[in-house]
Amino acid sequence: MKYTPVIGLEVHVELNTKSKMFCACANDWFGTNPNSRTCPVCLGLPGALPVPNKKAIEGCIKIGMALGCSIPLLSKFDRKNYFYPDLAKGYQISQYDQPFTQNGSLTLSTGKKITIQRAHMEEDTGKLLHETIEGRKVSLIDFNRSGVPLVEIVTGPDFESAEEVREYLQRLQQIVRYLGVADGDMEKGGMRLEPNISLRKDGQTGLPNYKVEVKNINSISFVEKAIAYEIKRQAEILDRGETPAQETRGWDEDKKMTISQRSKEEAADYRYFPEPDIPPFVWTEKYVENLRSELPELPEAKMARFMKAYGLSDYNAEILTRTTDVANYFEETVKVGHEHGIEATKIANTIVNKKIDIERILPAALIKDLKAAEVTDTLPLDELHTVLKSILDKNLTVVSDYKNGKVNALMFLVGQAMRGLKGKVKADTVKSELEKLLK
Ligand SMILES: [Zn+2]
């Protein structure tokens, strides 16, 4: 028998706010000493009261806006009750029937629309560590991640292939990074993926009468493998005339298979009720529109602009807008190139075709590569420092990005400096002096 896959996705994105969702603890849980980022609120101690993080809520709303969601003027938090050792309170604060954002869509390159049912706000759980201490197997709990702001983005059951899922996930990751609200770093658990998969028989209308969810996958290629595995496994069960069990499974990368974990819960099992410690939220139209005006140029718009403004092919424009770092690098180079009479399309081709490692190359070095004039250092060091310091003062966000480990941010500063210096100093010198000032 022939089947069509019916796939939906839930994606959890950790926001990169300074503090956690409901307390003032630092949000930088990854790689920190266990239980060093905790307080009575995120430890779930009796009597501790949650205070919602405004930045996090705005981050959630911006993700929803970028996905074309509507922003209801009334929303609230709810308690999702379940027991697990890493959930100190015995419930998770989440959103049930009145999420911050709902009813959006994301259009794939084929023109197919994936519906976004909602992007809502919740809190992350702690982490269990399974260790052996003095020969005994023990489970330890680290609550540093407990209460980290998490946005859950839920699609309709609209995907029919792993390829569609891959494109959606790449685009979603790109969007949260463009917005600057999340790192989307899957290796650090910053973006966790949960496909639900079932098969529709040819000729069948409506959704299949079962659904298999694969939990907590931390890589796009594992999602693709899990989907391929499930399509094969479920087809075999259906071919025997049986129905696959409604359940939650996990992806085992060593065994290259999904493994049954538990039967799937229904919403009623969680006994949701409105969170009594946090009053509902009532936004004004003006507040929502102000937030909307803070949205940066998003990937799709930037790509269209690059094609129109610089005459780029869609192929080049797509590659050059994958990250804002690359896009900024290209645009900075175009500005410098313009002063040397070098066309934007030529610069785009050079970056794309030569597969230039843009993490390492500098705009001025590229211009040199394009046979622009050689520059020699003709500016005294103290004067150079004055120029560089003023550039750092004007670009505080970029500076803090750099200090937070975004190495590419340096390129942007070098580009700014090279423009200001008009060829009086070599890019290598600018780079090394900037590095000294940023230490
Ligand atoms: Zn805390």
Side-chain angles (χ1 to χ4, degrees):
M1 173 122 23
K2 284 205 74 177
Y3 305 99
T4 308
V6 178
I7 306 167
L9 266 181
E10 288 177 17
V11 177
H12 284 95
V13 177
E14 277 183 352
L15 299 186
N16 58 7
T17 50
K18 281 204 176 68
S19 57
K20 289 187 182 179
M21 188 61 224
F22 298 113
C23 61
C25 289
N27 188 18
D28 59 343
W29 66 272
F30 189 84
T32 48
N33 283 336
N35 299 306
S36 59
R37 307 283 192 279
T38 58
C39 74
V41 173
C42 54
L43 286 173
L45 300 188
L49 286 173
V51 178
N53 182 333
K54 187 170 176 241
K55 266 267 176 257
I57 293 173
E58 291 180 350
C60 174
I61 293 176
K62 283 180 181 175
I63 291 175
M65 284 174 168
L67 295 169
C69 289
S70 61
I71 314 300
L73 294 183
L74 180 68
S75 47
K76 64 174 171 63
F77 280 113
D78 299 275
R79 286 191 183 180
K80 180 180 181 179
N81 298 280
Y82 66 95
F83 173 79
Y84 205 69
D86 63 15
L87 187 71
K89 299 193 292 290
Y91 60 84
Q92 180 190 31
I93 303 180
S94 180
Q95 297 195 287
Y96 183 46
D97 53 349
Q98 290 181 284
F100 287 130
T101 85
Q102 61 192 17
N103 302 332
S105 65
L106 189 149
T107 307
L108 301 179
S109 55
T110 55
K112 178 172 177 173
K113 248 188 190 172
I114 302 299
T115 56
I116 308 288
Q117 293 177 344
R118 54 198 283 154
H120 74 247
M121 186 87 245
E122 56 186 38
E123 56 176 338
D124 213 339
T125 61
K127 251 178 118 75
L128 288 180
L129 310 164
H130 306 286
E131 311 265 342
T132 305
I133 297 178
E134 293 173 0
R136 283 173 60 216
K137 283 191 172 172
V138 295
S139 292
L140 306 165
I141 312 178
D142 174 10
F143 283 110
N144 282 353
R145 202 181 65 179
S146 170
V148 162
L150 209 56
V151 174
E152 179 174 334
I153 301 138
V154 184
T155 74
D158 301 336
F159 302 95
E160 290 178 331
S161 69
E163 293 73 41
E164 289 178 356
V165 170
R166 164 176 281 274
E167 187 189 343
Y168 168 84
L169 289 171
Q170 284 171 337
R171 299 273 298 279
L172 183 61
Q173 184 183 45
Q174 188 187 27
I175 286 170
V176 299
R177 287 177 173 171
Y178 260 66
L179 290 171
V181 298
D183 303 332
D185 192 339
M186 297 193 201
E187 282 164 22
K188 294 180 182 170
M191 195 165 153
R192 306 197 289 273
L193 323 168
E194 298 180 1
N196 55 72
I197 306 139
S198 53
L199 297 182
R200 180 190 278 134
K201 289 175 196 162
D202 264 9
Q204 183 186 349
T205 51
L207 293 175
N209 59 350
Y210 74 96
K211 187 162 85 174
V212 174
E213 190 168 270
V214 188
K215 279 290 215 196
N216 272 334
I217 305 181
N218 63 354
S219 126
I220 294 179
S221 74
F222 293 174
V223 168
E224 288 183 295
K225 288 186 210 171
I227 289 172
Y229 181 86
E230 275 302 305
I231 290 174
K232 191 164 172 284
R233 187 185 72 85
Q234 293 176 23
E236 284 168 9
I237 296 173
L238 290 164
D239 280 344
R240 291 200 299 269
E242 298 164 16
T243 305
Q246 171 106 352
E247 62 180 350
T248 298
R249 300 175 73 91
W251 174 249
D252 186 325
E253 175 58 15
D254 294 331
K255 294 184 181 146
K256 306 269 183 278
M257 61 190 293
T258 63
I259 290 172
S260 179
Q261 291 180 334
R262 55 172 191 256
S263 62
K264 171 121 185 69
E265 302 86 351
E266 297 296 324
D269 298 329
Y270 291 119
R271 206 174 48 90
Y272 281 97
F273 63 85
E275 167 58 54
D277 288 336
I278 306 172
F281 294 82
V282 184
W283 312 126
T284 60
E285 296 275 4
K286 189 159 178 264
Y287 173 77
V288 172
E289 286 322 304
N290 275 344
L291 269 188
R292 198 182 297 282
S293 71
E294 288 176 16
L295 293 186
E297 184 182 38
L298 291 166
E300 223 172 320
K302 200 183 276 290
M303 188 176 150
R305 180 170 64 80
F306 276 20
M307 289 167 71
K308 194 155 182 263
Y310 302 119
L312 304 193
S313 65
D314 55 354
Y315 177 81
N316 280 357
E318 192 275 321
I319 292 176
L320 294 172
T321 52
R322 280 188 191 165
T323 70
T324 44
D325 283 341
V326 176
N328 290 344
Y329 167 72
F330 167 71
E331 290 205 280
E332 284 305 312
T333 312
V334 168
K335 283 178 198 160
V336 185
H338 187 71
E339 289 160 20
H340 296 272
I342 299 163
E343 282 180 19
T345 47
K346 192 172 178 189
I347 290 169
N349 280 332
T350 307
I351 297 174
V352 173
N353 294 339
K354 288 193 168 178
K355 295 193 173 55
I356 284 170
D357 180 356
I358 54 170
E359 296 221 7
R360 281 189 290 165
I361 202 167
L362 303 165
L366 178 65
I367 294 303
K368 193 172 141 193
D369 195 46
L370 291 161
K371 296 188 175 57
E374 278 249 30
V375 285
T376 47
D377 298 345
T378 56
L379 199 68
L381 206 55
D382 55 338
E383 282 180 42
L384 172 62
H385 279 188
T386 312
V387 174
L388 295 183
K389 276 177 189 159
S390 80
I391 283 162
L392 295 182
D393 286 342
K394 277 184 217 150
N395 293 283
L396 293 177
T397 327
V398 184
V399 169
S400 83
D401 281 352
Y402 176 76
K403 289 189 171 164
N404 286 324
K406 246 176 132 183
V407 184
N408 286 355
L410 187 65
M411 271 169 12
F412 176 79
L413 296 171
V414 173
Q416 294 287 314
M418 293 308 287
R419 285 182 64 210
L421 292 163
K422 297 208 189 317
K424 277 183 248 166
V425 183
K426 276 190 283 196
D428 288 348
T429 315
V430 170
K431 184 176 175 249
S432 65
E433 292 306 313
L434 268 173
E435 278 170 339
K436 281 183 208 159
L437 291 175
L438 286 163
K439 269 200 182 129

